[in-house]
Amino acid sequence: MIENLIHLYDDLDAKHKIPQYGLIPQNVLYGLDIDDSGKILNIRKLGDWSQKRPVHMVSVPARVTRSSGVKANFLCDTPQYLLADDTNARNGREKKAFKAAAELHLRLLSGIDDSTAKAICAFFARSPQVSEAKNLLTADEWKHASTANFVFYHNDRCVMEDERIVHAWLEDFSESGTDGEVLESIVDGSEVQPAAIHPKIKGVWGAQSSGGALISFNKESFNSYGKSQNANAPMSEEQAYKYTAALNYLLADNDHVAHVGDTTIVYWAESGSVEYQDFFSMASDFGGGSSSDGDLEANLGTAINALAAGRVFDVGNFQLNPDEHFYVLGLSPNSARISVRFFLKDTFGAFLQNIVKHYSDLSIQRPIFDKNPRMPLWRLLNQTTNQAIKADVPSVLVGGVLRSVLLGVPYPASLLSNVELRIRSEKDINADKAAIIKAYYLRQPNSECPKEVLQMSINEESENVPYVLGRMFSLYEQIQQAANPGINTTIKDKYFNSASTTPSLIFPILGNLAEKHLRKLGRSEPGRKVNLSKALQRLSLRLGDQYPARLSLPQQGAFQLGYYFETQKHYENKTVKQENSNKQGENNE
């Protein structure tokens, strides 16, 4: 994964889409205008301030990791370091911070014959100018500014535009850490002086806003073979910088980041082309952004089928190649660290092929009112939890389901067990849960829930006993509702769970109730009584002499599918009759 991220960085760097080694994008909201003598002239607000949270991204020198102690950043930092501001400091920390910043800037800039470099040196040669800076803003403005980043401006120009100053920084940055122990890099096997601490990863949902460490050995118990800190996973400063910069670049791209449960998902093509990410967002339906290409969205099905079949597909002036290597990475927060939930790599066409198979396995006859037959991942996972209290989906389950979807392997057993728990709790089975049961047993074949019951719609020829029992239960419920129109509680609320597990105990009771309901129905709707009696008789003939004493979990799945399909058939017939009645009424008029 680290190697793939470094490769992505090199590709983005070649296209000038990412800051070069030694620089990082940073939200910088204030410019500190200084003159040749280092005196503050003005504080300028940078970027668009019309939004609640203004953003102004600037490439600035790479940041230090401030886990403890005082460490200054070059050219861009908070007022505590640049001005010795004590708003958020204690015990004179602001004086130490200003001193550290002064030492850093004087060390790097004092030898440069440049007016801007001399102005910055003069700035740090003066006493801290925090009072002068505060006078340029209101109290409320300073409260906000005290935690924001400032960058130097000189002669109406940001110092990051001064090539000699930036070059001085890059030269110093590339030479840092060159006097430590030499070890073999875990990335490419080359000899490197390991970076002790890696830059932080930002943008993972639920993680600390200041970022978290993907690779970190900050306790003695984590160390091996006498190594300390990240020497346990040695890689150079440049390699550590590149993989973190590439990952932060992916996480900052909101159009191509998806969130499922507590897992943040990023994906990219080996070539770095954004067209693959656009297409994957639409095809996967994981919840990331979508393409602005309306034509592509209209032809999405055609495009997916072509790529899944291994054929190249043209998107405007770009050709999507099914053989392109593609990567999907899932990250989740873990205190101050970032956990890798999964990392999958395959060709683009193979991923699409597995996504097509996933949605095909989930396809099922749905109620007429259901206008969105394609079940997104978040809706699938919601079937495993109590949505009344908005319970969280377990991280392990999210990772397992995503792995199944993208690799085309069987779904995790916990998906089925959680759905069964919800069915028992809710005493009902909706289209989404029925689709999950069908898809699970299609990928995990079981003779007790055979393929003949795992159909798109009802299989009226099936003689599978649990499936037929499920259909009979639905008929018993229809008989009860026909005899007692508008009834609030049906046999489903009282007997659904026990009927699907111990039929021999419950179905005799249901048979007696059905006889009473049919007698009552015969007095008001004799024709309907005859139709329901015949349907019930046809199913009874398939069961033999005795009801099964117990149904296993797969057999319960067959029972639930039988109930679901028979109920859908009832509503479908009801809708057709209503439509015919409406047409007859229109003709009479």
Side-chain angles (χ1 to χ4, degrees), residues 256-313:
H256 303 117
V257 175
H259 302 283
V260 181
D262 73 341
T263 304
T264 300
I265 305 167
V266 293
Y267 35 86
W268 70 96
E270 187 175 38
S271 64
S273 301
V274 72
E275 287 81 1
Y276 287 98
Q277 293 173 293
D278 280 343
F279 193 86
F280 189 79
S281 296
M282 289 188 292
S284 65
D285 224 355
F286 284 172
S290 60
S291 169
S292 57
D293 189 336
D295 292 339
L296 178 57
E297 288 193 23
N299 298 307
L300 182 62
T302 307
I304 291 176
N305 290 333
L307 289 162
R311 297 194 298 273
V312 171
F313 191 84

Side-chain angles (χ1 to χ4, degrees), residues 23-24 26-34 44 46 56-61 74-77 114-117 119-120 149-166:
L23 304 178
I24 62 164
Q26 192 72 18
N27 190 20
V28 183
L29 299 179
Y30 295 94
L32 200 61
D33 264 319
I34 59 174
R44 60 175 74 195
L46 306 175
H56 181 67
M57 302 306 292
V58 180
S59 288
V60 300
F74 189 57
L75 300 179
C76 174
D77 214 325
D114 177 271
S115 62
T116 301
I120 295 173
N149 286 314
F150 283 62
V151 66
F152 288 107
Y153 270 71
H154 180 244
N155 291 335
D156 283 334
R157 192 179 65 152
C158 178
V159 293
M160 292 307 299
E161 297 175 23
D162 192 307
E163 292 183 1
R164 280 187 285 187
I165 291 178
V166 173

Side-chain angles (χ1 to χ4, degrees), residues 339-351:
S339 297
V340 176
R341 188 61 59 192
F342 57 85
F343 176 59
L344 309 175
K345 52 183 178 180
D346 208 330
T347 63
F348 190 60
F351 276 130

Side-chain angles (χ1 to χ4, degrees), residues 316-377:
N317 297 322
F318 189 83
Q319 258 192 353
L320 291 172
N321 184 352
D323 295 327
E324 171 78 15
H325 288 285
F326 199 77
Y327 309 97
V328 184
L329 172 62
L331 302 168
S332 59
N334 180 12
S335 189
R337 300 165 186 272
I338 305 296
S339 297
V340 176
R341 188 61 59 192
F342 57 85
F343 176 59
L344 309 175
K345 52 183 178 180
D346 208 330
T347 63
F348 190 60
F351 276 130
L352 290 181
Q353 205 171 31
N354 291 330
I355 289 171
V356 169
K357 185 175 186 302
H358 164 70
Y359 285 114
S360 171
D361 289 344
L362 284 174
S363 298
I364 202 168
Q365 179 190 7
R366 288 178 171 275
I368 294 173
F369 61 80
D370 191 343
K371 302 299 181 189
N372 189 16
R374 186 169 148 127
M375 180 164 42
L377 192 62

